[in-house]
Amino acid sequence: MRNVILVTGGAGFIGSNFILQQMQGGDDSNLIINLDKLTYAGNLQNLASIATNRRYEFVHGDIGDRDLVRPLLEKHKPRAIVHFAAESHVDRSIRGPEDFIRTNVDGTFALLEETRAYWNALPEGERTKFRLLHVSTDEVFGSLGPGDSQFSETTPYAPNSPYAASKAASDHLVRAYHHTYGLPTLTTNCSNNYGRFQFPEKLIPLTILNARDGKPLPLYGDGKNVRDWLYVEDHCEAIATVLRDGRPGETYNIGGWNEKPNIEIVETICDLVDEMAPRVGGRRRALITFVKDRPGHDRRYAMDARKIERELGWKPKATFESGIRKTVRWYLENDEWVRNVTSGSYRQWVATHYSS
Ligand code: NAD
Ligand code: TYD
């Protein structure tokens, strides 16, 4: 019997890192099915190294397409689903929230319904072992003041952006499917990730590439909003840990114990790019440009990740210094990847979003 995991959104930033990490271990009894719609954020180039591997299969489709998901589950009989698929960029959710509701809320609902039907029909032994792991975010908890304690698993939800609200809705649905139907679900809420394959609309890759090219480095508001940054490989290991050892129905906060104001992130990147790709025109810090703030911009996120450490023994391995250095180097060395993702619709987004 094959050990099958269905991954949704596996062509995106975190999903592709997760799949590559999973493919490093295991044996021929393992199979990963990657169901991805390939939106602007999905990129099969991330997975080119395993594209023909017999332990991996790509399925192009929408999690909301129940006529696709149903036979997929019946055919492959996964023992777990790891649900990454989502619209994930806050600024896009402000400009156009509809796709966020369609995928994050309706899509998760459709996936849950099909999973429930599939799980109900499984033989008893497999029903107990089955898991659906829902990958979520710290943004569902809202915004912290400077002296507030970090978000814990029991912090009340207070989402502030359409993105955060759509993820909060999906978290609630997952919770209800466990509580009402007994579906063995696990939810992880993670802080901001960084690393290879992140689409350059997000702060860190955007800053690296603009710094490389000598373009302005846009900081919203006063640049002092705080995020808790986690290296993506650590997040993927945390997800694997929760999938293996997490208790059904529980939620686990994942974070990097690494709170930093945006200005500090951008300055660090400037200095690394100066070091790795010196420029005649002077230091990159001079490119920092304060721009109009994001509407409803959450001031501070910070995760209390003690539960996952205490109960499951996970804690981040990378320091910010090591992770950001590797990340800057990766973007500077992978020009073909960068060129492929920064064409057409990406340019359009940057032109529209930063025009004022
Ligand atoms: P991403 O935007 O890079 O990737 C999302 C992937 O989902 C893409 O491959 C896209 O094609 C796919 N997708 C979108 N709609 C789909 C649909 N309807 N059906 C099937 N596939 C679809 O996102 P990411 O940064 O990799 O985030 C993955 C998950 O982790 C998301 O659920 C996000 O909310 C969560 N998360 C992200 C972060 C972060 O810092 N990036 C932090 C915490 C949690
Ligand atoms: P982002 O990477 O979009 O992640 P999130 O909004 O999910 O935390 O942004 C990280 C932080 O950087 C956030 O406080 C917004 C800020 N930011 C800028 O200052 N300038 C930018 O151009 C972008 C994209 C983000």
Side-chain angles (χ1 to χ4, degrees):
M1 182 80 180
R2 289 197 97 175
N3 175 16
V4 182
I5 298 182
L6 172 64
V7 172
T8 72
F13 163 46
I14 307 172
S16 56
N17 275 289
F18 177 79
I19 291 177
L20 292 175
Q21 197 177 81
Q22 289 296 301
M23 294 291 292
Q24 277 169 16
D27 53 40
D28 272 355
S29 68
N30 298 97
L31 175 65
I32 291 182
I33 312 285
N34 174 16
L35 170 63
D36 198 296
K37 188 178 170 182
L38 297 183
T39 67
Y40 78 93
N43 185 353
L44 286 180
Q45 203 184 341
N46 303 353
L47 298 161
S49 63
I50 55 158
T52 57
N53 193 309
R54 282 184 300 121
R55 292 164 48 206
Y56 168 77
E57 198 176 309
F58 174 67
V59 178
H60 186 196
D62 191 322
I63 51 164
D65 181 353
R66 294 178 60 169
D67 293 333
L68 170 76
V69 173
R70 191 175 315 124
L72 196 65
L73 293 174
E74 276 161 15
K75 178 178 169 203
H76 291 290
K77 304 217 175 313
R79 64 137 184 109
I81 298 174
V82 184
H83 178 34
F84 292 97
E87 290 293 335
S88 69
H89 190 38
V90 173
D91 292 321
R92 285 188 193 251
S93 83
I94 294 168
R95 286 182 184 270
E98 202 167 331
D99 283 347
F100 288 72
I101 304 305
R102 196 173 300 122
T103 285
N104 302 2
V105 185
D106 297 343
T108 300
F109 168 68
L111 183 70
L112 282 167
E113 273 295 88
E114 288 307 327
T115 304
R116 177 164 77 96
Y118 161 73
W119 173 74
N120 267 325
L122 284 175
E124 182 56 31
E126 288 169 39
R127 266 166 61 93
T128 338
K129 285 195 204 131
F130 179 83
R131 298 286 182 269
L132 180 138
L133 190 153
H134 173 59
V135 180
S136 192
T137 164
D138 58 359
E139 306 198 20
V140 298
F141 298 119
S143 184
L144 294 168
D148 293 343
S149 43
Q150 298 136 326
F151 300 129
S152 78
E153 285 79 1
T154 54
T155 301
Y157 274 33
N160 289 321
S161 70
Y163 163 66
S166 68
K167 290 297 291 186
S170 65
D171 293 11
H172 289 326
L173 284 170
V174 170
R175 176 192 157 87
Y177 271 64
H178 173 74
H179 194 78
T180 303
Y181 304 114
L183 191 70
T185 61
L186 299 156
T187 297
T188 53
N189 293 90
C190 188
S191 61
N192 286 61
N193 283 215
Y194 67 97
R196 66 175 174 174
F197 304 144
Q198 187 167 33
F199 194 75
E201 64 190 351
K202 304 271 166 65
L203 179 69
I204 287 185
L206 179 87
T207 303
I208 298 170
L209 297 179
N210 281 10
R212 179 195 71 174
D213 298 342
K215 292 184 181 160
L217 308 176
L219 266 175
Y220 298 159
D222 63 2
K224 292 190 184 138
N225 297 65
V226 172
R227 298 293 184 263
D228 171 1
W229 293 95
L230 178 70
Y231 190 52
V232 66
E233 289 180 17
D234 277 324
H235 186 193
C236 294
E237 282 180 12
I239 290 170
T241 304
V242 173
L243 186 61
R244 190 182 58 238
D245 299 328
R247 281 180 293 136
E250 292 291 311
T251 70
Y252 296 90
N253 281 2
I254 304 170
W257 301 105
N258 179 48
E259 284 185 54
K260 289 201 189 294
N262 294 333
I263 178 83
E264 202 179 311
I265 298 288
V266 170
E267 285 175 351
T268 303
I269 293 171
C270 285
D271 296 348
L272 284 168
V273 178
D274 281 344
E275 178 197 313
M276 293 180 201
R279 141 184 127 111
V280 193
R283 294 189 65 193
R284 260 70 171 210
R285 285 186 185 211
L287 300 168
I288 293 173
T289 309
F290 292 91
V291 300
K292 192 165 165 277
D293 207 354
R294 170 189 281 173
H297 194 177
D298 284 338
R299 192 64 178 168
R300 173 178 166 236
Y301 301 145
M303 277 308 219
D304 176 346
R306 279 178 298 179
K307 176 178 171 181
I308 185 173
E309 181 171 355
R310 190 177 59 244
E311 294 190 7
L312 308 181
W314 174 89
K315 59 176 190 229
K317 288 185 188 145
T319 61
F320 186 69
E321 290 64 36
S322 66
I324 194 69
R325 182 169 276 281
K326 274 197 257 184
T327 305
V328 171
R329 191 175 298 287
W330 188 85
Y331 279 91
L332 295 182
E333 286 177 353
N334 285 274
D335 197 43
E336 195 197 327
W337 186 94
V338 170
R339 266 188 280 116
N340 288 344
V341 302
T342 51
S343 58
S345 67
Y346 173 76
R347 288 217 187 107
Q348 182 80 43
W349 163 256
V350 171
T352 316
H353 184 61
Y354 295 100
S355 62
S356 53

